[in-house]
Amino acid sequence: QVELVESGGGSVQAGGSLGLSCEASKFVGPSTSYCMAWFRQAPGKEREGVASIDREHKTIYAPSVKGRFTIARDGAKDTLYLQMTSLKPEDTAMYYCAAVQSPVAILDPTWFSYWGQGTQVTVSS
């Protein structure tokens, strides 16, 4: 059972930056066989994909964050990152780290098997 623990959330003013981390453990098989991703969910809204990265570090971004957010993974540390810049109030949400065994990057939450508990990001105007 893969375990995912997010950290780095907090409050920031619009235009600011914030970095999230997700430490992964207990992979079944090599960690490189997993696609890792970030999702977010704001109150009253559905969970949406933010960014995803595969074992070859190929990435997918939601159009709303492309050019502002950067996803990265460190295989040696089994850690996933999300660097967020030019933050907007509409980026306010609970951010979740997720993993699924897949050779390619995916951004559909229904495919993901493992989820972290989430970390809150609040952007004030």
Side-chain angles (χ1 to χ4, degrees):
Q1 183 81 0
V2 178
E3 292 186 357
L4 304 169
V5 180
E6 302 96 336
S7 61
S11 297
V12 65
Q13 288 192 328
S17 300
L18 207 57
L20 305 181
S21 298
C22 171
E23 294 186 13
S25 61
K26 301 184 180 179
F27 283 111
V28 177
S31 61
T32 52
S33 68
Y34 287 77
C35 161
M36 304 287 293
W38 290 98
F39 293 85
R40 67 186 181 186
Q41 188 167 18
K45 294 188 177 182
E46 292 186 355
R47 190 168 296 188
E48 64 171 347
V50 174
S52 179
I53 186 167
D54 69 12
R55 60 187 178 186
E56 296 181 349
H57 299 262
K58 294 179 182 177
T59 57
I60 299 175
Y61 291 94
S64 59
V65 306
K66 199 168 186 179
R68 299 189 297 123
F69 291 11
T70 302
I71 188 171
R73 65 191 292 175
D74 185 333
K77 297 180 180 179
D78 285 339
T79 301
L80 181 70
Y81 303 97
L82 185 68
Q83 183 64 37
M84 304 180 290
T85 63
S86 302
L87 282 160
K88 305 175 182 180
E90 50 263 45
D91 294 319
T92 295
M94 185 71 79
Y95 282 71
Y96 298 91
C97 172
V100 63
Q101 283 189 295
S102 169
V104 297
I106 305 171
L107 210 48
D108 181 344
T110 61
W111 284 89
F112 283 78
S113 311
Y114 307 103
W115 295 85
Q117 293 300 306
T119 185
Q120 178 68 37
V121 172
T122 302
V123 184
S124 58
S125 58

